Amino acid sequence: MTVRTRFAPSPTGYLHIGGARTALFNYLFARHHGGRFILRIEDTDRERSTEEAIQAILQGLKWLQLEWDEGPYRQTDRLSVYREKTQWLLRQGKAYPCVCPPEVLEVKRREALKAKRKPAYDGTCRPKDGQDPSVLSEQLSAQGRSFAVRFLAPKTGTTAVEDKVKGRVVFENSELDDLILARSDGTPTYNFCVVVDDIDMGITHIIRGDDHLANTPRQILLYQALGCPLPEFAHVPLILGLDKARLSKRHGATSVMAYRDMGYLPEALVNYLVRLGWSHGDQEIFSCNELIEKFTLEEVGKSAGVFNAEKLLWLNSHYIRERRLPQLAQEVKPFILQRGYTPDSNNGWLERMVATLQPRAKTLVELVELAHFYLSDEIQIEEKAAKKFLKSEVREPLDELVQRLTALSDFTEQAIEQVFTEILEKRGLSLGSLAQPVRVALTGSTVSPGIYEVIAVLGKERTLKRLKKALDYIRSTAERS
């Protein structure tokens, strides 16, 4: 048997974190077994489905590098298939026409809720003994009356879900009402389309969130009515916020693309999402190949995963530190443009700049924020830092540094360090007593990468210009006092 899994989102919004994890689990399971991963867009809800949402979902999956093998199939392209299956069930006496007006059903639903009863269909149109559903539907059609089509569900016995994650879950058939397969305008409903699609597409394993578990017994009954074998089911736990409530916008960003825009790397988000509900010993960090090799449903837990933004940030910083410089330099370019800077056309210089900040940045956005003094022609020196470090006693060593750097032909870290060493030894100064004023002059603050790295990356012209400006500040301050 070839394993075939699917991700089947409804295009009513962006690709959210929960959906992305479902797609990831299906992708990894299919790849682990050498199978096929299918993408299906469940867009029969015409009012809420949009082309924009479809493109957002595709964009999110591509950014996460979850490449599908077939699709994207669209349910709206398969309406004739659903009509054919509906008619077949009517002819077989496994479905029946329902003429109950929607407003009447709504009143009954409210009354049931008010009486604290389950708002199930009361069976008004359910065929009585001896009635043939196919004849009833023909008579209604001949009269020009529209009708919905309901599934003729069994009222006795049980339906068991043999779940690969949750184990055996048993449902009483008396709790499962006659669900609508097609509305009176002919549009098919979710539960029916899902079953027809999964049968036609040969889906062998259905991996989805456990909020779908309640739908599963109804879908199993449809498989049986259509005379088709059941797939394997695996309902994975939901993702919760730190407050143990279901993950929502109030917990922060839930859109996959929002994390891209915040400067997260796709590998970091994939690695983090797979660990929300799945584990392999104590290992925290996995390559894509390792995930494919190790992923099994047996290691998916039964309890909900808790989304911890701090842990994701830590994981992202790890992936940034491990990134090859040419790739990281390319990935940071859009964020440089976004901040209004112009990326240097010299990729070598950009890589050198990124290398100095790579150990410090947790996101690509933060990397650009840290790089402001490299990317700006003019910098603003923090007033507190200037008062503390740009004092008259550093004027002479700074002046000598300007002269020595001006004369330096080999503007490398090693040569710059040698200049510093000679000035410090000559004047009996500690490194910090000169490096901190230089740091403030060049970066505007007291925190930066190593000072020799900063000077080498800034280059001679900008370094000297900023040091001279600092000297002017020291002189003017001395004159005012």
Side-chain angles (χ1 to χ4, degrees):
M1 178 186 70
T2 300
V3 166
R4 290 174 64 85
T5 66
R6 48 75 160 175
F7 177 52
S10 296
T12 56
Y14 51 74
L15 178 62
H16 57 79
I17 290 295
R21 190 192 61 169
T22 297
L24 175 61
F25 280 12
N26 279 279
Y27 170 86
L28 292 175
F29 187 80
R31 291 288 179 269
H32 178 81
H33 291 282
R36 308 278 287 174
F37 173 54
I38 290 91
L39 176 60
R40 184 173 75 228
I41 305 296
E42 300 192 334
D43 58 347
T44 52
D45 186 343
R46 297 291 186 90
E47 291 183 5
R48 298 175 63 223
S49 299
T50 67
E51 185 62 32
E52 182 183 7
I54 292 173
Q55 295 308 314
I57 290 167
L58 300 183
Q59 186 183 32
L61 291 173
K62 287 175 181 176
W63 181 69
L64 291 173
Q65 298 164 31
L66 303 181
E67 296 294 331
W68 53 90
D69 300 302
E70 296 178 26
Y73 300 114
R74 299 194 185 198
Q75 286 185 330
T76 47
D77 294 335
R78 292 173 46 78
L79 296 177
S80 61
V81 176
Y82 308 133
R83 281 194 292 272
E84 179 186 328
K85 295 295 183 184
T86 303
Q87 292 302 314
W88 186 86
L89 287 171
L90 280 170
R91 290 195 300 272
Q92 297 297 313
K94 297 178 179 182
Y96 63 91
C98 175
V99 294
C100 295
E103 57 272 18
V104 171
L105 293 174
E106 179 60 22
V107 169
K108 290 181 178 180
R109 189 186 74 84
R110 289 177 182 173
E111 288 175 349
L113 290 172
K114 188 175 180 180
K116 296 184 179 181
R117 290 183 284 106
K118 188 175 179 180
Y121 180 59
D122 62 5
T124 298
C125 292
R126 189 178 169 97
K128 307 300 184 288
D129 290 341
Q131 285 186 313
D132 185 339
S134 62
V135 173
L136 291 175
S137 61
E138 288 172 5
Q139 290 172 345
L140 290 169
S141 297
Q143 296 166 14
R145 295 180 65 186
S146 60
F147 54 86
V149 177
R150 286 186 180 272
F151 180 58
L152 190 62
K155 290 302 176 186
T156 59
T158 60
T159 299
V161 181
E162 305 292 346
D163 197 88
K164 302 290 284 185
V165 173
K166 294 188 168 297
R168 183 179 174 87
V169 185
V170 179
F171 295 83
E172 294 290 334
N173 288 340
S174 59
E175 295 293 309
L176 309 176
D177 62 352
D178 295 351
L179 65 89
I180 294 176
L181 306 181
R183 302 177 185 88
S184 57
D185 63 0
T187 58
T189 57
Y190 167 78
N191 277 300
F192 183 54
C193 294
V194 165
V195 172
V196 172
D197 290 341
D198 287 337
I199 291 170
D200 283 0
M201 295 173 189
I203 304 302
T204 61
H205 294 77
I206 295 175
I207 305 169
R208 57 190 179 190
D210 63 8
D211 53 333
H212 286 280
L213 182 60
N215 290 324
T216 307
R218 295 179 173 87
Q219 293 173 7
I220 287 175
L221 292 173
L222 284 171
Y223 272 96
Q224 293 170 347
L226 291 165
C228 296
L230 297 179
E232 298 274 6
F233 290 97
H235 290 88
V236 299
L238 297 177
I239 301 174
L240 306 180
L242 288 174
D243 58 359
K244 302 301 175 69
R246 184 168 179 172
L247 193 67
S248 65
K249 288 182 180 179
R250 66 189 177 87
H251 295 105
T254 58
S255 162
V256 165
M257 299 313 287
Y259 283 94
R260 181 202 64 176
D261 296 342
M262 290 189 292
Y264 285 79
L265 300 180
E267 294 89 344
L269 190 55
V270 162
N271 197 148
Y272 184 70
L273 288 177
V274 79
R275 292 285 287 108
L276 287 176
W278 176 85
S279 63
H280 185 81
D282 295 327
Q283 188 171 343
E284 289 284 348
I285 296 170
F286 300 83
S287 68
C288 183
N289 287 337
E290 283 181 306
L291 288 175
I292 290 170
E293 175 193 343
K294 299 177 186 303
F295 185 85
T296 64
L297 291 175
E298 286 72 25
E299 292 178 309
V300 174
K302 291 181 172 64
S303 57
V306 177
F307 192 89
N308 186 327
E310 287 299 316
K311 190 167 184 181
L312 172 58
L313 195 61
W314 168 81
L315 197 58
N316 199 62
S317 66
H318 164 81
Y319 276 93
I320 285 179
R321 288 194 303 273
E322 296 296 313
R323 209 61 147 195
R324 291 188 311 108
L325 278 176
Q327 183 178 358
L328 189 58
Q330 289 301 315
E331 288 171 330
V332 83
K333 277 185 178 181
F335 295 91
I336 292 174
L337 284 166
Q338 196 175 61
R339 286 295 294 267
Y341 302 121
T342 303
D344 198 290
S345 56
N346 182 343
N347 286 335
W349 180 87
L350 192 59
E351 288 176 28
R352 287 166 57 211
M353 181 203 85
V354 166
T356 69
L357 302 169
Q358 192 174 17
R360 298 164 175 263
K362 295 183 178 69
T363 68
L364 297 178
V365 168
E366 186 181 23
L367 196 153
V368 175
E369 290 171 352
L370 293 171
H372 70 94
F373 61 88
Y374 286 129
L375 300 168
S376 304
D377 290 330
E378 298 289 338
I379 62 164
Q380 189 71 34
I381 295 178
E382 295 172 5
E383 186 177 347
K384 186 177 178 181
K387 286 181 179 179
K388 184 175 181 179
F389 292 104
L390 299 183
K391 297 180 177 180
S392 56
E393 55 261 35
V394 299
R395 179 172 159 184
E396 286 188 13
L398 267 185
D399 204 18
E400 183 177 355
L401 181 63
V402 168
Q403 294 175 37
R404 294 288 301 274
L405 291 178
T406 301
L408 196 64
S409 57
D410 181 24
F411 213 75
T412 60
E413 285 182 42
Q414 293 77 13
I416 292 163
E417 183 178 1
Q418 183 63 33
V419 168
F420 265 78
T421 301
E422 292 172 3
I423 293 174
L424 295 174
E425 288 178 353
K426 173 184 172 182
R427 295 178 176 275
L429 299 173
S430 66
L431 175 60
S433 63
L434 180 58
Q436 273 302 79
V438 171
R439 179 172 282 110
V440 171
L442 298 182
T443 71
S445 74
T446 57
V447 180
S448 79
I451 196 62
Y452 310 134
E453 297 174 276
V454 169
I455 293 172
V457 174
L458 273 175
K460 180 185 276 191
E461 183 181 343
R462 288 199 293 173
T463 296
L464 293 173
K465 181 181 177 183
R466 293 182 189 184
L467 289 176
K468 288 174 183 177
K469 188 174 180 180
L471 282 167
D472 290 341
Y473 171 88
I474 293 170
R475 291 189 190 99
S476 63
T477 303
E479 289 170 2
R480 286 198 300 272
S481 60

